[in-house]
Amino acid sequence: MAISTSHLFLFLSIVAIFAPPSLATNYTVGDDAGWNTNVNYTAWAQGKTFYVGDFLIFKYPAGDHNVYKVNASDFQNCTVPADQTPFSTGNDPIFLAKSGKKWYICGKEGHCGQSQKLVITVMDMAPANSPAPPPPSAATKAVLSGQIGFVVVVVAILGMMIA
């Protein structure tokens, strides 16, 4: 049985309303160097554009480092916030939920002073003609799996409409 125009319109409307947003980009801070002392994180961030919805992933040997999200003053002075618990798993994904400047430091004694600190600016949203993202990471692949499930549900609904 052929699908009617009204069913096709309904199907496309459902997809448009419930389709997941474009995939976020996962940035491993420092790339292969990871989160470590004596890495130039200013140079690492240069040329990258961070958007709301992206992830920063701080990778390091657990116990050797940690990650604190700080303000500009604490960043400049390498001050560890007393009222915060650091990220400390060694594989810490941080979701970029809001636009603006973001500052991160390692709270281990002396590490921030050895350049283990990062400042980035997060933009509101990726433009429609943004360049292709890097190859998908494990987190991105998980998002893709969720999208496949979404497609299966939409196809099932469409199948029920046709039957």
Side-chain angles (χ1 to χ4, degrees):
M1 174 183 211
I3 186 168
S4 73
T5 306
S6 61
H7 284 134
L8 181 59
F9 177 77
L10 181 61
F11 169 74
L12 293 175
S13 297
I14 291 170
V15 169
I17 292 170
F18 295 106
S22 62
L23 296 176
T25 300
N26 297 322
Y27 292 97
T28 299
V29 176
D31 295 323
D32 291 339
W35 183 236
N36 210 335
T37 56
N38 299 314
V39 174
N40 185 340
Y41 292 105
T42 301
W44 173 81
Q46 198 167 34
K48 292 176 177 64
T49 305
F50 303 94
Y51 293 101
V52 169
D54 288 346
F55 282 88
L56 294 178
I57 302 170
F58 291 83
K59 292 189 175 195
Y60 54 91
D64 288 356
H65 305 288
N66 57 35
V67 182
Y68 282 92
K69 185 172 187 283
V70 296
N71 60 34
S73 175
D74 289 346
F75 179 85
Q76 285 291 7
N77 299 314
C78 290
T79 303
V80 174
D83 61 343
Q84 242 187 70
T85 302
F87 295 93
S88 59
T89 69
N91 189 21
D92 304 317
I94 296 179
F95 180 69
L96 301 176
K98 293 182 180 180
S99 61
K101 281 217 183 250
K102 310 294 178 199
W103 301 269
Y104 303 93
I105 65 171
C106 179
K108 296 286 183 167
E109 189 169 339
H111 290 202
C112 179
Q114 295 176 44
S115 302
Q116 197 171 1
K117 58 189 197 173
L118 169 69
V119 60
I120 63 169
T121 300
V122 178
M123 308 303 288
D124 275 327
M125 60 178 30
N129 62 352
S130 62
S137 67
T140 302
K141 289 176 185 172
V143 170
L144 287 173
S145 294
Q147 287 180 328
I148 290 169
F150 171 77
V151 170
V152 168
V153 169
V154 170
V155 169
I157 291 170
L158 181 60
M160 289 186 293
M161 290 171 32
I162 294 172

